[in-house]
Amino acid sequence: MYYLGIDFGTSGARAIVVDEQKTIQVEAKEHIKEHLSRNWAEALFNLIEQIPGKIRAEIKAIAINGTSSTVLLCDRQGNPLDKPILYNDKRGVAVREKLTEIAPENHVTLSPTSSLAKLLWWEAQPIFAQASFFLHQADWLAFLLHGKLGISDYHNALKLGYDIENLCYPDWLNNLPIKSLLPQVLPPGTPVSEVKDDLIKQFNLQKNCLVCTGTTDSIAAFIASSANQPGEAVTSLGSTLVLKLLSDKRVEDAKYGIYSHRLGNLWLTGGASNTGGAVLREFFSDEELARLSSQIDGNVESPLTYYPLLAVGDRFPINDPNLPPQLEPRPDNPVEFLHGLLESIARIEARGYQLLQDLGATQLSRVYTAGGGAKNATWRKIRQRHLQVPVTSSENTAAAFGTALLAKNC
């Protein structure tokens, strides 16, 4: 038997099929030309079509992840009424006053990019009168496969206001006129229904192939790592620095952008800093990063203290929208400059994990690394020195792989 995980990211979509031993059997990719619902649908079906027929015929379950807070407004047949609103769209600023009147203080939905902010913005538009369903990207794509409308998971629904501790919509949300559009929320990886008959026939899928509730892209990437015990964490060293720590205790602090996702009986808490790989690439090419890093002794601390940012402001672990980038003094030797940057980002990472623990999260015991920075052995040695716990590269960092594992456990 095989299990299919599909990941919809910002620039493309990816599919991975795993077997019973969690070994990857097939990978497929699709570029998304423009973020329109029809392009998503085309990418979804093209990915399935790329999977060899013999494997398609033995796929037992499918799960899909989407970008958190990328949403659609649909009619009663599930047809989108408007263009999707993407994860980073800030039109919710227009309803900030209404949001603060509705949601509790410091709630995750108070961000202008939250799912709830986007729904409230749509509520004020003329097209809203035709709406029957408000769905996240992963919800709608799964609907295309199983045909059941109005079903979501509690990872996607967190920024809609769903109470992930009590597993219900809170009273302050239930009392709003928009309540009728809110999806039913199930745990990620819950069987919803079998793939529609016409698609079974079209793609020669197994007759009883199940579609499960999905997750968000960042949670899928965490699932893809080997982290599964309280105290284990994943640092994503991409353009930015993102920390996720598995904890026995739920930790929330909106002023630092810290919130927790439910992961079974545990909590996945974390935050994101604007420092990271984008700053490194401002000064060095990939070739230079590899060559110069090999000349750095990761056991020796750099005396340079920076706060590497490309623009003013950070929110985690320092919450200051006016925090200036600190990139001086810059030595003439590029090896010394890179050493100072790597060291300083490692300090910020350690400070971030310390903040999570100060707020009550489980003590850090191991860090898995994802993203482009995971390949840098020198940086890993520097980070391990600051974190004082084992630091290793994740076995697999692909969100589609994590989603395939979700389908396997469906």
Side-chain angles (χ1 to χ4, degrees), residues 279 283 305-310 324-331 337 341:
V279 182
F283 300 102
T305 302
Y306 301 137
Y307 203 102
L309 298 170
L310 290 181
Q326 175 58 46
L327 294 165
E328 298 289 342
R330 180 172 176 178
F337 182 47
L341 291 174

Side-chain angles (χ1 to χ4, degrees), residues 111-401:
S111 166
T113 61
S114 73
S115 300
L116 183 59
K118 291 161 185 167
L119 176 53
L120 293 176
W121 180 88
W122 254 321
E123 186 186 21
Q125 311 309 310
I127 203 169
F128 191 78
Q130 304 172 46
S132 294
F133 295 97
F134 179 78
L135 300 173
H136 301 91
Q137 182 182 37
D139 309 338
W140 185 76
L141 289 164
F143 151 72
L144 296 183
L145 297 181
H146 58 54
K148 308 292 183 184
L149 275 165
I151 298 174
S152 188
D153 64 88
Y154 58 57
H155 289 161
N156 275 292
L158 175 71
K159 294 178 184 178
L160 184 55
Y162 186 76
D163 184 342
I164 57 171
E165 193 144 17
N166 297 304
L167 300 179
C168 63
Y169 284 109
D171 289 342
W172 61 264
L173 200 50
N174 280 326
N175 294 330
L176 299 179
I178 58 173
K179 171 64 172 71
S180 62
L181 277 71
L182 301 180
Q184 176 188 0
V185 179
L186 301 171
T190 300
V192 176
S193 186
E194 295 174 357
V195 175
K196 294 189 294 184
D197 289 342
D198 60 327
L199 296 180
I200 292 283
K201 184 176 181 181
Q202 179 181 345
F203 294 111
N204 188 34
L205 291 166
Q206 184 173 295
K207 192 170 183 181
N208 59 349
C209 179
L210 285 171
V211 183
C212 312
T213 49
T215 183
T216 64
D217 52 352
S218 63
I219 302 296
F222 185 91
I223 294 171
S225 77
S226 298
N228 57 20
Q229 298 296 317
E232 294 185 334
V234 172
T235 294
S236 179
L237 294 173
S239 298
T240 58
L241 174 70
V242 182
L243 312 185
K244 292 187 180 296
L245 172 61
L246 201 55
S247 173
D248 287 312
K249 181 182 176 182
R250 183 180 183 183
V251 173
E252 307 273 341
D253 195 322
K255 69 175 179 287
Y256 293 108
I258 295 171
Y259 58 88
S260 293
H261 273 284
R262 191 181 190 116
L263 208 60
N265 295 320
L266 299 173
W267 300 97
L268 188 56
T269 186
S273 170
N274 293 332
T275 193
V279 182
L280 299 178
R281 286 193 172 87
E282 180 74 8
F283 300 102
F284 304 102
S285 68
D286 287 349
E287 184 277 329
E288 288 172 328
L289 284 171
R291 177 170 51 82
L292 298 175
S293 292
S294 68
Q295 301 175 48
I296 295 170
D297 184 350
N299 295 312
V300 177
E301 185 165 5
S302 167
L304 298 170
T305 302
Y306 301 137
Y307 203 102
L309 298 170
L310 290 181
V312 171
D314 205 4
R315 63 174 183 172
F316 175 86
I318 297 176
N319 177 32
D320 182 356
N322 300 311
L323 184 70
Q326 175 58 46
L327 294 165
E328 298 289 342
R330 180 172 176 178
D332 294 332
N333 186 334
V335 175
E336 292 178 13
F337 182 47
L338 177 59
H339 190 180
L341 291 174
L342 296 178
E343 193 89 39
S344 297
I345 296 173
R347 292 188 189 108
I348 293 170
E349 179 187 8
R351 185 170 178 172
Y353 279 121
Q354 187 58 55
L355 176 59
L356 295 176
Q357 293 167 95
D358 290 346
L359 292 170
T362 301
Q363 184 176 348
L364 186 70
S365 61
R366 177 180 291 273
V367 173
Y368 294 89
T369 311
K375 303 171 186 174
N376 192 318
T378 302
W379 200 5
R380 183 167 64 248
K381 189 176 292 185
I382 292 171
R383 293 169 51 232
Q384 185 163 283
R385 173 162 43 80
H386 282 280
L387 293 167
Q388 294 293 298
V389 297
V391 176
T392 57
S393 295
S394 297
E395 290 183 11
N396 198 312
T397 61
F401 178 74

Side-chain angles (χ1 to χ4, degrees), residues 1-6 16-20 48 51 55-64 145 189-195 200 205-213 400 403-410:
M1 292 296 177
Y2 300 109
Y3 305 90
L4 170 60
I6 299 175
I16 286 180
V17 177
V18 300
D19 60 18
E20 294 284 357
I48 296 173
I51 299 167
I55 290 181
R56 280 205 309 261
E58 292 189 47
I59 292 175
K60 187 176 180 180
I62 302 172
I64 302 174
L145 297 181
T190 300
V192 176
S193 186
E194 295 174 357
V195 175
I200 292 283
L205 291 166
Q206 184 173 295
K207 192 170 183 181
N208 59 349
C209 179
L210 285 171
V211 183
C212 312
T213 49
T403 311
L405 299 184
L406 193 67
K408 184 179 182 299
N409 295 324
C410 179

